Amino acid sequence: MRRNLSLMIKPSSSKCNLECKYCFYNSISSSRNIYDYGFLKESTLKEIIQKSSAYCNGGNCVIGFQGGEPLLIGLSFYKRLIEYIKCFNNGTKFSFSLQTNGTLITEEWAKLFKENNFLIGISLDGNKDIHNLNRVNRKHEGTFNDVMKGIRLLKKYNVDFNILTVVTSAMCKKVESTYNFFKKNDFKYLQFIPCLEPLENINVPLRKFSLTKEDYKIFLIKLFDLWYTDAISNNYISIRLFDNILGLFFNQNYEACDMKGVCSCQHIIESDGSVYPCDFYTYEKYKIGNILTNSFDDIHKHPTTTIFLNESTNIATKCTTCEYYFICRNGCARHRENQDNSLNYFCEAYYEFYSYSIDKFKDLAFKIKVNKVLISI
């Protein structure tokens, strides 16, 4: 039987050459018994590929690499990855993505990405001033120039890439300049993720870069206006959140995990082989197995997996009567943590945003259908 599988591997564990002020994985690692599990061994990589191939049996396996910084482990690791896939070839189709801070990209990395069809996510928070506020190296120096150098190399070798931006309180005040900066540089595939407090930060004041609900509401509406103006002018910029919402009017299901309202097992594999259901929950108590000793079927049947998935189906009372529940679905389970009645922290922001934008989404979908304009959503 053919089956599909998606994995996220952390080959460098929590190791990183940067010291971003809002790094969520650093906060998680700091709260674990073991901060850093070291580099993932080639024997562990071999086990992952062997078991993935056997599980999929000719289906599709999507592997993402994240960190920490996944380039720190070196080129040879990814060359071995390709070799092992060839060794265990049973018809399973593998595809790769990699999220990087972009500062370590060289000609050799760009060639490897292109030759093996990696989709690269680059962490870039906007122009130099905004990016350098929080994305700094170990010397607390801004990293903007190094990131842009890496992007130029990706462009040189025609590597597919997108931009991931962390939405902070400061960025909310610079929405237009950030959006225009991305347009000017021909970055047309964008993802914006809201900056949240660590799970451990309960009943403490917000950090200066964290978002309030009001911040996020203003950000969403301003960004939408800029995006919508371009979209109706046949200058479509792909923004993952908006793509997913627009897709609803074409009878498409959400592809973004955080928008589905219920969790699935994301198979986060730390460098020691430990497996967790979600990147936000790589704490010991959420461990659902180890790839060195367990099969994927074992992992899926683990009691912690079942509990984790079932808890995500809880619907806040307020959601049951909300006119926008069909769009919002109470959002990502991570955004419900430490909230009354498991209500999404950004509930009010989303409600105001959908009230403002829903008719324009419908209008845009209608125009696309009538004019048969093909866009990637």
Side-chain angles (χ1 to χ4, degrees):
M1 178 179 68
R2 293 181 180 178
R3 295 185 287 190
N4 298 328
L5 186 66
S6 63
L7 313 175
M8 181 188 290
I9 301 175
K10 294 183 174 291
S12 307
S13 191
S14 60
K15 290 182 177 65
C16 190
N17 60 316
L18 302 192
E19 203 169 89
C20 301
K21 298 174 185 178
Y22 51 53
C23 179
F24 88 91
Y25 206 67
N26 181 59
S27 69
I28 289 176
S29 301
S30 298
S31 299
R32 299 189 306 210
N33 294 330
I34 298 176
Y35 175 79
D36 178 24
Y37 291 98
F39 288 120
L40 192 144
K41 296 178 180 178
E42 289 188 7
S43 58
T44 305
L45 175 64
K46 186 176 182 180
E47 192 76 12
I48 293 171
I49 299 306
Q50 186 174 11
K51 287 185 175 177
S52 299
S53 296
Y55 178 86
C56 293
N57 192 34
N60 298 300
C61 184
V62 178
I63 302 181
F65 296 93
Q66 203 160 327
E69 172 49 53
L71 298 194
L72 284 174
I73 198 167
L75 276 162
S76 62
F77 173 86
Y78 295 95
K79 292 179 179 179
R80 288 287 188 187
L81 165 74
I82 305 305
E83 290 176 9
Y84 290 146
I85 287 174
K86 292 176 181 177
C87 289
F88 299 112
N89 183 10
N90 65 352
T92 297
K93 299 176 181 64
F94 285 86
S95 57
F96 312 110
S97 65
L98 185 146
Q99 185 66 40
T100 175
N101 60 46
T103 62
L104 301 177
I105 295 173
T106 61
E107 300 262 353
E108 290 74 21
W109 279 113
K111 289 177 184 177
L112 181 139
F113 294 150
K114 181 61 179 178
E115 289 169 0
N116 297 284
N117 298 313
F118 275 69
L119 172 63
I120 304 302
I122 296 289
S123 297
L124 178 67
D125 283 353
N127 62 27
K128 187 172 186 176
D129 291 340
I130 290 294
H131 179 88
N132 284 346
L133 281 176
N134 296 300
R135 299 195 63 83
V136 296
N137 61 24
R138 296 289 180 179
K139 296 179 181 178
H140 301 283
E141 300 166 335
T143 59
F144 177 84
N145 291 338
D146 291 333
V147 177
M148 293 300 289
K149 178 181 177 182
I151 290 174
R152 286 193 292 272
L153 287 171
L154 295 181
K155 286 185 172 183
K156 177 180 177 180
Y157 288 92
N158 296 313
V159 177
D160 290 333
F161 70 94
N162 53 41
I163 301 295
L164 186 146
T165 298
V166 177
V167 183
T168 61
S169 56
M171 208 278 257
C172 288
K173 300 177 178 66
K174 301 287 185 179
V175 181
E176 186 171 1
S177 60
T178 299
Y179 182 81
N180 287 335
F181 168 77
F182 289 150
K183 279 180 58 179
K184 180 181 178 181
N185 285 276
D186 199 32
F187 301 155
K188 293 190 174 181
Y189 296 91
L190 312 175
Q191 181 180 358
F192 296 87
I193 57 173
C195 183
L196 282 178
E197 289 294 299
L199 280 175
E200 305 78 27
N201 288 16
I202 302 174
N203 299 323
V204 297
L206 287 177
R207 297 172 298 175
K208 64 180 181 179
F209 43 73
S210 294
L211 285 179
T212 66
K213 302 162 191 179
E214 183 67 14
D215 283 337
Y216 198 46
K217 179 195 78 174
I218 293 170
F219 166 79
L220 288 174
I221 291 175
K222 284 185 176 179
L223 182 66
F224 174 81
D225 282 342
L226 294 164
W227 172 84
Y228 181 76
T229 298
D230 281 339
I232 61 174
S233 303
N234 294 320
N235 184 23
Y236 194 88
I237 306 294
S238 173
I239 296 178
R240 193 179 187 191
L241 171 65
F242 300 159
D243 289 351
N244 273 261
I245 297 170
L246 186 61
L248 289 179
F249 300 100
F250 295 92
N251 298 315
Q252 298 175 6
N253 292 322
Y254 284 151
E255 58 79 25
C257 170
D258 61 332
M259 298 181 70
K260 294 180 179 179
V262 294
C263 295
S264 59
C265 185
Q266 299 297 304
H267 310 100
I268 312 302
I269 304 179
E270 253 289 2
S271 60
D272 67 335
S274 297
V275 184
Y276 304 85
C278 172
D279 198 25
F280 289 126
Y281 296 89
T282 50
Y283 301 92
E284 285 88 355
K285 67 178 180 179
Y286 292 106
K287 182 178 174 180
I288 56 177
N290 190 296
I291 198 65
L292 297 175
T293 54
N294 300 113
S295 69
F296 284 107
D297 287 316
D298 293 335
I299 290 165
H300 296 160
K301 294 174 184 176
H302 194 285
T304 302
T305 306
T306 303
I307 293 170
F308 180 83
L309 299 183
N310 287 342
E311 286 182 346
S312 75
T313 64
N314 295 331
I315 301 175
T317 304
K318 187 176 179 180
C319 293
T320 60
T321 57
C322 180
E323 61 185 306
Y324 300 120
Y325 179 71
F326 78 102
I327 304 176
C328 176
R329 304 179 191 181
N330 206 10
C332 178
R334 170 62 181 84
H335 296 175
R336 306 175 211 160
E337 293 285 351
N338 304 326
Q339 302 302 309
D340 293 338
N341 196 27
S342 296
L343 188 67
N344 192 300
Y345 173 75
F346 293 116
C347 173
E348 296 170 15
Y350 283 128
Y351 188 89
E352 293 295 328
F353 169 65
Y354 293 131
S355 298
Y356 177 83
S357 65
I358 194 65
D359 287 339
K360 291 182 178 180
F361 274 115
K362 292 178 182 177
D363 179 57
L364 178 58
F366 176 77
K367 289 179 179 178
I368 292 171
K369 290 175 183 177
V370 169
N371 296 321
K372 294 183 172 58
V373 176
L374 296 179
I375 60 175
S376 176
I377 61 174

